[in-house]
Amino acid sequence: HDEEGGESNASFKEGIGLAFPPEVLTAMGVRTADVQERLLPHTVDLVAQVYATLDSPRAVALVSPESARNLTVGISASLHGATGQVSSTNAEARLTEISRTLEKAAHRVELIFNLPPQAEPYELGEMLNLRLKLAPDAPKVTVPRTALLDTALGTFVYVVNGEAFLRTPVSTGAMDDALVEITDGVYDGDTVVTSPVSQLWLTELRLTKGGGHSH
């Protein structure tokens, strides 16, 4: 079935997607980007506990053997606060030891980090959010993170489908501040909407849940 909206003259067709008159697209400021294969640094988020606070503050994180597989001594980790913001531009911890003494018994690997000095002393037992950024291993199919639509139904992107925008389910992988790997759903050479994704979703909901029907 086809469904048409009111004031915006938007229309929706199952399997085709949302369509808008050109002047509406201009007014909405719709922006798109090509899906591309890029070398994408892989980030790993960890929670580490401070266990030494004196001259050389240190913290330990317990991870699975799989998570530790690509880690090497010497890599740095940024410290992030509860909001996800980097706590200081120069605040980097350094991975100094990878201990596997607990691997057989607990299926865990200990990562020991030297912590950077800071104005407020670390507290024994304090929990820290660390983010490791690993070098890319191979090109990944990526889209801008702004293209992602996270809903109760899953994660989607709007793919340009001729004159329409088709909401397409995707699976995501590694990401950095700007890009996210798509492991399933879109392919190199596709084009996706990067803005305003949430407005497209609201329009689709209005047309499919509350819009009029034309046959």
Side-chain angles (χ1 to χ4, degrees):
H1 57 268
D2 302 350
E3 294 161 73
E4 296 184 356
E7 72 284 355
S8 68
N9 294 318
S11 62
F12 176 83
K13 293 184 180 181
E14 195 70 41
I16 301 297
L18 283 168
F20 299 86
E23 64 273 14
V24 175
L25 292 179
T26 301
M28 290 170 62
V30 171
R31 294 196 295 272
T32 62
D34 291 336
V35 179
Q36 294 182 14
E37 286 197 352
R38 299 179 176 91
L39 288 172
L40 184 65
H42 179 49
T43 58
V44 178
D45 289 326
L46 305 170
V47 177
Q49 186 171 27
V50 176
Y51 72 90
T53 60
L54 299 178
D55 294 338
S56 178
R58 293 186 296 279
V60 59
L62 296 176
V63 301
S64 68
E66 293 77 18
S67 298
R69 184 179 301 125
N70 296 322
L71 302 183
T72 55
V73 168
I75 62 176
S76 59
S78 55
L79 271 67
H80 287 250
T83 61
Q85 298 299 312
V86 179
S87 57
S88 167
T89 53
N90 297 316
E92 285 202 335
R94 191 161 298 278
L95 180 59
T96 57
E97 184 182 346
I98 300 174
S99 172
R100 300 184 181 275
T101 55
L102 299 177
E103 186 169 357
K104 286 187 177 180
H107 197 64
R108 284 292 178 266
V109 174
E110 291 180 292
L111 306 179
I112 309 298
F113 291 91
N114 274 3
L115 301 174
Q118 61 178 19
E120 291 291 327
Y122 296 98
E123 295 181 10
L124 198 62
E126 180 182 353
M127 307 303 288
L128 303 174
N129 295 311
L130 302 180
R131 174 168 293 173
L132 303 171
K133 182 174 283 190
L134 309 180
D137 49 5
K140 312 286 188 186
V141 174
T142 65
V143 300
R145 289 182 64 167
T146 54
L148 289 187
L149 173 70
D150 287 315
T151 76
L153 303 176
T155 303
F156 302 88
V157 297
Y158 277 97
V159 177
V160 175
N161 183 30
E163 300 298 318
F165 306 117
L166 181 61
R167 182 168 53 87
T168 303
V170 293
S171 300
T172 60
M175 64 179 65
D176 63 13
D177 292 339
L179 300 170
V180 58
E181 175 191 5
I182 303 296
T183 57
D184 188 44
V186 297
Y187 304 94
D188 187 23
D190 286 343
T191 301
V192 297
V193 177
T194 59
S195 177
V197 173
S198 58
Q199 191 171 340
L200 297 187
W201 172 232
L202 291 174
T203 301
E204 182 177 338
L205 285 176
R206 178 171 58 80
L207 292 174
T208 56
K209 307 299 184 190
H213 295 254
S214 60
H215 300 276

